[in-house]
Amino acid sequence: MELINGGICAAKGFTAGGIHCGIRKNKTKRDVALIFSEKKASAAAVYTTNLVKGAPLAVTKMHLLDGKAQAVICNSGNANTCNANGIEVAQAMAKLTADTLGISEDDVVVASTGVIGQPLDVTPIKNGLPALKEALGENSSEAAEGIMTTDTVKKEIAVSFEIDGVECKIGGIAKGSGMIHPNMATMLVFITSDVAISSEMLQKALSADIQNTFNMVSVDGDTSTNDMVTVLANGMAGNKEITEDGEAFDTFMKALNTVTVHLCRMIAGDGEGATKLLECRVTGAADEKTAKTVAKSVICSSLTKAAMFGADANWGRVLCAIGYSGADVDVTKVDVSFESAKGIIPVCENGSGIEFSEEIAKEILLEKEIVINVGLNSGDFSSTAWGCDLTYEYVKINGDYRT
């Protein structure tokens, strides 16, 4: 497994681009992205669990019923959610894209992100599509920029690996900064691969992977309406098609997980107003459910997040989050330590505080990436969740997000 450049354009047969078409007022920001596969690809997707869903998700679900897709069109600045004509607009986006590329509109994935409840005028997208098609190339970064909303950095990655001696590649881009919470957190993620794999096995891989990746990310406890993770695999690497479990499928799963974990960390670290990436590692749980529940509870705790912002080793807030998590935990066995590039410091053993240097703890917690280690000492299961600190800037961003 090797990290490579190229993002979603690293895999054979994929091109991408991003432009400013006029949805966003700021002309310096790209607001629409296009991803295109030279060949029709196997496709899989997972969607937000919010009962209020954006119109693009409904259209995309219909288009992926056959497990195939060839292009992705995504705009930022407007979510196309809770609009009377939302479905009509999303369908128009698909048809306009299909006509521009010379493919079937049923093979177009549609996505939107931005303000909810604001009508989306498809005219800027229609007028921009010729330029967007012209922009198609090895422009993963431009596409990554085109899907950003409150994100402060572009999020992309690609890896190279081998299946049966054949070089294969998989890459991804993502957006996500606010309204992020476990069980399909608010994000848009587009992943491309040149691996030959059936749509059924691709869906199996994605559905399994998100349980330990995107479903374990939280920024602010809000699950959005437009979340979607989509994977397209066009088979152009030339490996024997993966149609069942086995070594080849396991290798693909490992590569997919490398991409998704990287994007999870980038999304959490770029949380709205965030100054630190938080990672909670739970070990010694009696079962997987307990490990996940505890990790999520700690990473979602507003008090813990605030303490990390202030570099305050207030381990009691971690214990508190474990206690109300609903997990069946023996709190008299719980150990907690804080860790960063500056070192590691135990702060709680067997559910009770221990002596430690506040000065050293503060030095550790002033780093950009903080690990909260939780040892439950009751079994062999573990889990990891990602989040960020809670800052003054988060309130400022969301206090006037729409106006």
Side-chain angles (χ1 to χ4, degrees), residues 61-196:
K61 280 185 177 182
M62 289 188 290
H63 288 184
L64 295 189
L65 287 176
D66 64 351
K68 300 292 181 181
Q70 197 167 352
V72 177
I73 181 75
C74 177
N75 73 275
S76 59
N78 188 313
N80 188 18
T81 299
C82 299
N83 295 323
N85 68 338
I87 296 295
E88 178 185 336
V89 169
Q91 289 173 334
M93 285 177 61
K95 187 175 189 314
L96 289 166
T97 302
D99 290 346
T100 301
L101 297 173
I103 62 176
S104 169
E105 65 180 283
D106 291 335
D107 291 327
V108 178
V109 170
V110 184
S112 299
T113 182
V115 179
I116 295 170
Q118 178 175 303
L120 174 61
D121 182 2
V122 78
T123 304
I125 298 172
K126 178 181 179 180
N127 294 339
L129 270 166
L132 191 55
K133 179 184 178 181
E134 196 67 27
L136 286 174
E138 297 180 3
N139 299 320
S140 177
S141 291
E142 292 183 2
E145 183 183 336
I147 66 175
M148 291 167 60
T149 50
T150 56
D151 306 63
T152 64
V153 295
K154 291 175 283 191
K155 303 168 179 68
E156 58 182 331
I157 181 182
V159 297
S160 174
F161 56 103
E162 286 192 1
I163 292 180
D164 298 329
V166 176
E167 183 183 24
C168 302
K169 298 174 182 177
I170 183 170
I173 62 172
K175 68 81 51 180
S177 189
M179 286 186 77
I180 299 203
H181 189 60
N183 298 324
M184 275 312 299
T186 187
M187 64 187 69
L188 289 176
V189 180
F190 304 114
I191 299 171
T192 61
S193 178
D194 49 21
V195 168

Side-chain angles (χ1 to χ4, degrees), residues 95 102 104 117 124 138 147 177 196 234 310 323 326 329-330 377-378 386 391:
K95 187 175 189 314
S104 169
E138 297 180 3
I147 66 175
S177 189
N234 64 15
V329 172
D330 185 346
N377 299 305
S378 297
W386 298 274
T391 70

